[in-house]
Amino acid sequence: MRKSAKEYLVILILFQAMGMQAQDHQVTLEGNVQVVNSELAGIHVQNISTKKATITDGYGFFALAVRLSDTVVFSSVQLKNKEIIITQAILESKQFIVSLEEAENKLEEVVVMPYNLSGDLSKDARGLKLSTVSSSTLGLPNTHVVKMTYNERKLLEADRGTMIKVLPLGFAINTHKILNRISGRTKMLKERIVREEKNNMVAQLMAYYPDSIITKNLKIPDLQLHEFVYFCETDENFDALLKSEDQLLVWEFLERKSIVFLKTE
């Protein structure tokens, strides 16, 4: 009886090892992004599990190294972000097609700018005095109330629950909260929120400077624009810089990063 138990344990360990090896097997996923009435070139395709990325060509085709259970994010300024978990069916598919939707650009604030500009962005940025018209400057109610995102609301719900008294033990436990943590749902939601914040930071950067400003002034090729933006996003100072909302510092940062980026290409 003892011998059969050991044999069972050895078999179980072998199966687990085989499963881990299968998960680590990396393949090149070839796919095509489809969008109605939008540019197909330059859509960013990022494997956030391995920190590798690429962009689509003029016909929406891309190739990216992935493994089973990796998370791939498709993003572009003019499109809604889409997140896909790599399944076995996707790995075995001959043609992986991803449909994206156009994003709705909502005007949140109006910036009144002077018109006596020289055309040199670095000089003009130093002399600008911007007057921002927003809900906060107008003194509207509930201006400073920060709305929770969908994933933030889900995380709050996952970490809540009713306390259940355990009479023999003499104390109460929150089974809902415990089960979500054991299952990994709480961790997954926290990771989603972090990725969501990163995507928002990238969107904020692109809102500061139109594509043409970056490509023309920094000499970044059009097809490498989104790759450059995510190259900047990997910098450890990126988040703090965007949160400072100092557009002059942000532009100086982009100038420095563009020199490094172009040298590596």
Side-chain angles (χ1 to χ4, degrees):
M1 187 71 179
R2 185 177 299 175
K3 182 179 179 181
S4 62
K6 288 183 178 180
E7 291 175 346
Y8 174 80
L9 181 60
V10 170
I11 293 172
L12 180 61
I13 293 173
L14 287 173
F15 273 113
Q16 288 179 337
M18 290 171 63
M20 291 175 64
Q21 187 177 9
Q23 271 197 330
D24 289 336
H25 180 61
Q26 196 172 67
V27 300
T28 299
L29 176 67
E30 296 183 352
N32 178 245
V33 174
Q34 297 185 351
V35 189
V36 179
N37 299 325
S38 185
E39 179 64 42
L40 292 174
I43 297 173
H44 194 263
V45 185
Q46 183 184 27
N47 185 336
I48 61 176
S49 300
T50 61
K51 309 301 181 184
K52 301 294 182 181
T54 185
I55 57 173
T56 56
D57 63 15
Y59 299 97
F61 289 99
F62 68 91
L64 182 66
V66 299
R67 296 171 300 190
L68 185 65
S69 300
D70 278 358
T71 301
V72 178
V73 175
F74 297 80
S75 60
S76 178
V77 175
Q78 72 274 18
L79 304 172
K80 293 181 181 179
N81 289 357
K82 190 165 188 175
E83 184 177 294
I84 292 177
I85 306 295
I86 300 301
T87 63
Q88 190 62 40
I90 292 176
L91 292 176
E92 295 173 354
S93 62
K94 294 182 179 179
Q95 183 64 41
F96 179 50
I97 299 176
V98 181
S99 297
L100 300 181
E101 299 178 7
E102 291 188 37
E104 294 181 11
N105 296 318
K106 297 181 179 179
L107 182 63
E108 295 182 354
E109 62 180 31
V110 178
V111 179
V112 181
M113 302 178 62
Y115 288 94
N116 54 334
L117 303 178
S118 66
D120 188 328
L121 186 61
S122 59
K123 291 181 180 179
D124 291 336
R126 290 184 175 87
L128 289 179
K129 293 182 179 179
L130 305 180
S131 300
T132 303
V133 179
S134 63
S135 56
S136 58
T137 59
L138 294 175
L140 299 178
N142 301 322
T143 298
H144 302 291
V145 176
V146 180
K147 293 183 178 179
M148 298 180 71
T149 65
Y150 172 80
N151 287 319
E152 286 173 336
R153 292 196 302 271
K154 284 292 183 182
L155 177 60
L156 181 63
E157 183 272 334
D159 244 14
R160 281 180 174 175
T162 305
M163 300 293 288
I164 300 176
K165 289 184 179 181
V166 182
L167 295 178
L169 301 178
F171 59 84
I173 60 173
N174 187 335
T175 55
H176 180 73
K177 184 174 183 177
I178 292 173
L179 289 173
N180 277 311
R181 293 195 173 188
I182 293 175
S183 67
R185 185 167 183 264
T186 301
K187 181 182 179 181
M188 176 197 69
L189 290 170
K190 287 181 178 179
E191 291 174 347
R192 282 188 179 180
I193 290 171
V194 171
R195 292 198 298 270
E196 194 173 64
E197 289 175 350
K198 289 287 186 183
N199 289 334
N200 290 339
M201 287 290 181
V202 171
Q204 181 182 342
L205 175 64
M206 300 305 291
Y208 281 163
Y209 308 107
D211 295 4
S212 58
I213 293 293
I214 296 177
T215 54
K216 181 179 179 180
N217 288 272
L218 301 182
K219 311 302 182 185
I220 303 295
D222 291 343
L223 293 179
Q224 292 181 294
L225 175 61
H226 289 85
E227 187 178 349
F228 169 66
V229 171
Y230 278 89
F231 172 75
C232 295
E233 186 263 339
T234 58
D235 191 286
E236 59 181 8
N237 299 315
F238 182 80
D239 290 4
L241 191 63
L242 265 292
K243 288 177 181 177
S244 73
E245 298 185 355
D246 189 323
Q247 294 189 32
L248 176 57
L249 288 179
V250 173
W251 181 254
E252 291 174 346
F253 167 80
L254 292 178
E255 288 181 321
R256 293 194 302 272
K257 297 298 287 187
S258 67
I259 295 172
V260 179
F261 178 79
L262 293 172
K263 283 182 178 179
T264 58
E265 291 304 312

